[in-house]
Amino acid sequence: MAAIGAQVKRADTGDALARARQRAALLPDLLVEARRILNTVNTGWHGRRKSGVGETFWQFRPYAQGEAISRIDWRRSARDDRTYIRDQEWEAAHTVWLWADPSPSMLYKSEQAHVSKESRALVLVLALDELLSRSGERIGYPGVADPISARNGAERLATLLAHTTNLPAKPDLSRVRRFSEVVLVSDFLEPVEDTLALLQQLVQAGARAHLIEVYDPAEEDFPYKRRTEFIDPETGASLTFGRAEDYAEDYRRLFYARREVLSGFCRRIGWSYTTNRTDRLASDALVSVHMNMTANVGYEGNGA
């Protein structure tokens, strides 16, 4: 490998137990970091719950002229001289599925980055879990945790991830239902066709997705020069260039084209696509994604 790039030491991809131990060792510190990020971001966030169609009681409020009489709660109204409406909690987007890509490519960390892509992805997932749990959301993680509303959501998820031996390379989206939201955190370096096929499952399920592309600065800048050997962390295949700088322009064009295809897909159907470089703040992506989850918006790049 070129001196400018370094790779986080990783176990053989076939050794699931070793990978699980590495992940377990990371998670306590990542949980602390996730909570630190939440405590330092001052955005005045509020819960996402609001009145609408659902089965869960939310609040009583005074009746307004023109509202359906069938919504009046006569028992509550009988207590005083006012007429009250019984509001149910809006549950259309009350279940949120979180997922961080566990593939070997996420272990990459160049000398220009603060953390590996895997560490950044896990921090974002844990921070979102903590934030959304405070709002009473039901949080799930495909193949690891069923959706549940719990105040200690992030700690619970970190514990489950630490004890999960073999995380699948792709999330199992079969349990995602209509009106759910799904947050996928990945480098999205697999073939674009594969990613689009995965996203089509969510389209067919009637869910809404938010993609967070985590990437290393070297993956965007392509700072390599002279003779350089590149190794695929997924397959171990290698490719050597005599003058790596001669391929920089073509590489960057392909890099941005892949992002544009995915972000354009999301934008067209009202999903969101956020980018986050590992040499920049995780809080930037956290703020962007949370805003996207509370409004029907399209592409929101904060690190490109």
Side-chain angles (χ1 to χ4, degrees):
M1 290 290 289
I4 197 166
Q7 202 169 25
V8 176
K9 184 178 180 181
R10 65 181 178 89
D12 187 335
T13 56
D15 191 343
L17 181 59
R19 283 295 309 275
R21 287 172 175 168
Q22 290 179 343
R23 186 171 60 250
L26 279 174
L27 281 165
D29 289 341
L30 297 183
L31 181 59
V32 171
E33 175 66 9
R35 287 172 170 165
R36 185 194 66 80
I37 291 170
L38 279 183
N39 291 333
T40 56
V41 173
N42 182 19
T43 60
W45 284 332
H46 300 284
R48 301 193 305 142
R49 291 194 282 181
K50 55 186 178 181
S51 175
V53 178
E55 299 178 355
T56 305
F57 170 74
W58 180 32
Q59 66 176 3
F60 289 116
R61 63 175 176 80
Y63 170 79
Q65 186 175 2
E67 293 190 271
I69 296 178
S70 60
R71 298 185 61 197
I72 295 176
D73 189 289
W74 297 107
R75 179 175 298 179
R76 175 65 183 85
S77 301
R79 297 179 188 174
D80 53 37
D81 296 330
R82 304 191 69 175
T83 303
Y84 289 92
I85 292 289
R86 181 184 179 91
D87 268 341
Q88 305 301 111
E89 182 182 330
W90 183 69
E91 296 178 341
H94 196 56
T95 297
V96 182
W97 293 91
L98 304 175
W99 179 78
D101 189 347
S103 62
S105 69
M106 295 293 288
L107 295 170
Y108 182 72
K109 174 184 175 297
S110 72
E111 293 180 350
Q112 300 144 289
H114 304 315
V115 295
S116 70
K117 293 185 290 183
E118 178 187 56
S119 294
R120 176 57 56 84
L122 288 171
V123 162
L124 287 171
V125 162
L126 292 172
L128 277 170
D129 194 332
E130 186 84 356
L131 174 62
L132 296 171
S133 293
R134 294 178 184 179
S135 301
E137 306 284 14
R138 298 173 65 244
I139 310 299
Y141 194 106
V144 175
D146 292 334
I148 188 174
S149 179
R151 283 292 179 180
N152 63 336
E155 184 175 351
R156 170 178 171 269
L157 178 57
T159 301
L160 290 172
L161 288 172
H163 290 86
T164 302
T165 302
N166 191 18
L167 290 173
K170 299 292 182 183
D172 179 4
L173 304 177
S174 61
R175 297 188 58 195
V176 176
R177 297 293 180 260
R178 185 172 175 80
F179 299 130
S180 295
E181 292 194 70
V182 181
V183 180
L184 304 175
V185 189
S186 172
D187 53 16
F188 299 111
L189 291 181
E190 66 272 26
V192 174
E193 296 77 11
D194 294 349
T195 303
L196 292 177
L198 183 71
L199 298 180
Q200 282 293 348
Q201 295 181 43
L202 297 176
V203 173
Q204 294 171 6
R208 182 168 176 243
H210 306 274
L211 277 61
I212 306 178
E213 178 193 332
V214 174
Y215 62 103
D216 189 277
E219 292 176 324
E220 180 176 44
D221 300 338
F222 198 84
Y224 306 103
K225 296 181 179 180
R226 297 181 292 278
R227 182 178 177 84
T228 307
E229 180 186 15
F230 297 93
I231 301 175
D232 186 336
E234 308 284 343
T235 65
S238 64
L239 181 65
T240 301
F241 290 143
R243 287 174 52 86
E245 61 268 32
D246 292 344
Y247 299 89
E249 184 177 348
D250 289 338
Y251 167 84
R252 294 189 191 102
R253 184 172 64 251
L254 291 172
F255 182 85
Y256 292 127
R258 169 196 54 83
R259 177 182 293 170
E260 183 55 35
V261 169
L262 295 177
S263 63
F265 177 89
C266 294
R267 183 170 57 245
R268 286 191 297 273
I269 58 178
W271 293 359
S272 71
Y273 193 95
T274 301
T275 61
N276 187 237
R277 272 174 59 134
T278 52
D279 62 342
R280 298 177 185 172
L281 297 176
S283 56
D284 291 344
L286 185 64
V287 171
S288 177
V289 172
H290 188 266
M291 291 179 62
N292 291 338
M293 295 181 75
T294 56
N296 193 12
V297 298
Y299 174 65
E300 185 70 28
N302 61 60

